[in-house]
Amino acid sequence: MAGYILRRLVSTIAVMVTVGIFVFLLLRLAPGDPAAMIAGRSATEEMIAGIREQLGLNDPMPFQFIRWVRDMLAGDFGTSILAGRPVLELLSQRLEPTLSLAILTMILAVTVGVSFGVLAAWRAGGFVDRILTGFSALGYSVPVFVIGFFLVYFFAVRTHWLPVQGYVPMSNSIALWFMHLILPTVTLGLGFIAFIARVTRASMLEVLSEDYMRTAAAKGASSYAMLFHHALKNAGVPILTVVGISFAYLIGGVVITETVFNIPGIGRLVVDAINNRDYPIIQSVLILTSGLYVLINLTVDLTYMLIDPRIRY
């Protein structure tokens, strides 16, 4: 186990270095001059040159990359070009809305998705299975922004049951916090519900066809015991894998969802940073999300042993 973790950590470092080089070059080689955008349209060439010198954009790219990596390892992710404030400060202010949306979405997706998958496998080929399978295909194929606009139109514009946009911190009101997150959570969660349900159904069907499941049925085991005590546990590895992948991919969906529902989270911050060529914010978010993705994959791999004792590294 220790050797496996060490190998994964070494590969993680290699992956992060590769991602860092790619992010650094992608932003530096993109068209446009961040110094000119900061200076404004009325700026002179001398002003733009001064800003470039202040930001270190005149240095050779290898020196810029080394300085950037050195500062990040020291905990300094730079200062926002437009806001003039530390990037970590801006990210910390936007963390609560994004984290709230992500956690609620995963709770909804795992709970409903696994339940739908188990129910569809239990009634395989029947009416319930066809309905759930059709719902899964629809939820997995419809884009997030389409679902969002439809839910806003029906539940906010037509019926006025839920707020249209915005975010209320949990410290102000838990009820309002939850009300403002219902539509974004459902919008973002439908695709993941469909994805998890389809994988759960396929994995459960494979386990239910095993001989030991027929033996359990012959011994008089109840449907609940067969589904949840035997089948679901043995089908847990593929389900855990897809849950980990879904949580990692959730980051991309958060950006679109926060834009649709005007939630002041990290996704909105990234969109604004891209529009304004704010290098420090874009680079920091990409590096942090890449590290989170790798960490999730490592955690999922190590959790396999808790589900299936036969797995050893």
Side-chain angles (χ1 to χ4, degrees), residues 94 98 254-256 258-259 263-272:
R94 303 291 190 102
T98 299
V254 165
V255 175
I256 301 175
E258 287 183 353
T259 303
I263 298 176
I266 294 178
R268 286 289 307 279
L269 180 65
V270 173
V271 171
D272 295 338

Side-chain angles (χ1 to χ4, degrees), residues 13-29:
I13 295 174
V15 169
M16 295 306 299
V17 171
T18 304
V19 171
I21 295 174
F22 176 76
V23 170
F24 181 83
L25 293 178
L26 178 66
L27 295 177
R28 288 300 191 278
L29 299 178

Side-chain angles (χ1 to χ4, degrees), residues 227-251:
L227 288 174
F228 294 99
H229 286 217
H230 301 293
L232 185 59
K233 182 178 180 180
N234 288 282
V237 171
I239 298 173
L240 179 62
T241 301
V242 77
V243 169
I245 294 174
S246 299
F247 191 78
Y249 281 133
L250 186 66
I251 301 170

Side-chain angles (χ1 to χ4, degrees), residues 100-142:
S100 299
L101 177 59
I103 292 176
L104 288 180
T105 299
M106 284 311 301
I107 292 175
L108 175 68
V110 173
T111 303
V112 179
V114 172
S115 300
F116 279 6
V118 171
L119 183 59
W122 182 41
R123 298 298 185 184
F127 177 75
V128 175
D129 182 24
R130 289 194 294 269
I131 292 295
L132 295 179
T133 302
F135 167 78
S136 298
L138 182 64
Y140 191 64
S141 59
V142 178

Side-chain angles (χ1 to χ4, degrees), residues 36-44 48:
M37 297 184 64
I38 296 173
R41 296 182 179 180
S42 59
T44 62
I48 296 176

Side-chain angles (χ1 to χ4, degrees), residues 32-301:
D33 187 353
M37 297 184 64
I38 296 173
R41 296 182 179 180
S42 59
T44 62
E45 291 294 333
E46 291 75 12
M47 295 175 59
I48 296 176
I51 294 176
R52 289 185 60 84
E53 184 67 28
Q54 180 182 358
L55 297 176
L57 298 177
N58 292 327
D59 297 335
M61 283 194 181
F63 291 145
Q64 295 184 42
F65 179 75
I66 293 174
R67 183 172 60 245
W68 175 57
V69 173
R70 181 197 62 199
D71 292 341
M72 281 197 305
L73 292 178
D76 182 8
F77 285 82
T79 302
S80 171
I81 294 176
L82 294 178
R85 297 163 60 189
V87 173
L88 286 182
E89 179 183 337
L90 295 175
L91 292 178
S92 63
Q93 293 176 351
R94 303 291 190 102
L95 182 61
E96 181 187 335
T98 299
L99 197 60
S100 299
L101 177 59
I103 292 176
L104 288 180
T105 299
M106 284 311 301
I107 292 175
L108 175 68
V110 173
T111 303
V112 179
V114 172
S115 300
F116 279 6
V118 171
L119 183 59
W122 182 41
R123 298 298 185 184
F127 177 75
V128 175
D129 182 24
R130 289 194 294 269
I131 292 295
L132 295 179
T133 302
F135 167 78
S136 298
L138 182 64
Y140 191 64
S141 59
V142 178
V144 172
F145 66 90
V146 174
I147 298 175
F149 287 135
F150 174 78
L151 293 178
V152 167
Y153 175 75
F154 184 79
F155 289 100
V157 177
R158 289 291 301 272
T159 61
H160 303 286
W161 291 348
L162 296 170
V164 179
Q165 293 179 329
Y167 175 80
V168 175
M170 186 183 297
S171 58
N172 292 356
S173 172
I174 295 180
L176 291 178
W177 168 81
F178 183 73
M179 290 288 289
H180 279 80
L181 286 176
I182 290 178
L183 288 182
T185 298
V186 175
T187 299
L188 186 57
L190 283 179
F192 295 107
I193 290 173
F195 187 30
I196 294 174
R198 294 179 67 177
V199 174
T200 302
R201 177 185 180 276
S203 183
M204 287 287 293
L205 286 176
E206 182 179 353
V207 172
L208 289 173
S209 64
E210 297 289 342
D211 292 337
Y212 63 84
M213 295 302 300
R214 287 191 287 268
T215 301
K219 289 183 177 181
S222 63
S223 298
Y224 179 86
M226 289 182 59
L227 288 174
F228 294 99
H229 286 217
H230 301 293
L232 185 59
K233 182 178 180 180
N234 288 282
V237 171
I239 298 173
L240 179 62
T241 301
V242 77
V243 169
I245 294 174
S246 299
F247 191 78
Y249 281 133
L250 186 66
I251 301 170
V254 165
V255 175
I256 301 175
T257 306
E258 287 183 353
T259 303
V260 172
F261 290 95
N262 194 27
I263 298 176
I266 294 178
R268 286 289 307 279
L269 180 65
V270 173
V271 171
D272 295 338
I274 293 174
N275 292 332
N276 296 300
R277 299 292 297 261
D278 200 334
Y279 286 151
I281 292 179
I282 302 173
Q283 290 174 334
S284 300
V285 172
L286 289 177
I287 290 297
L288 291 175
T289 52
S290 299
L292 179 62
Y293 186 89
V294 174
L295 180 61
I296 290 173
N297 286 334
L298 177 60
T299 304
V300 169
D301 289 345

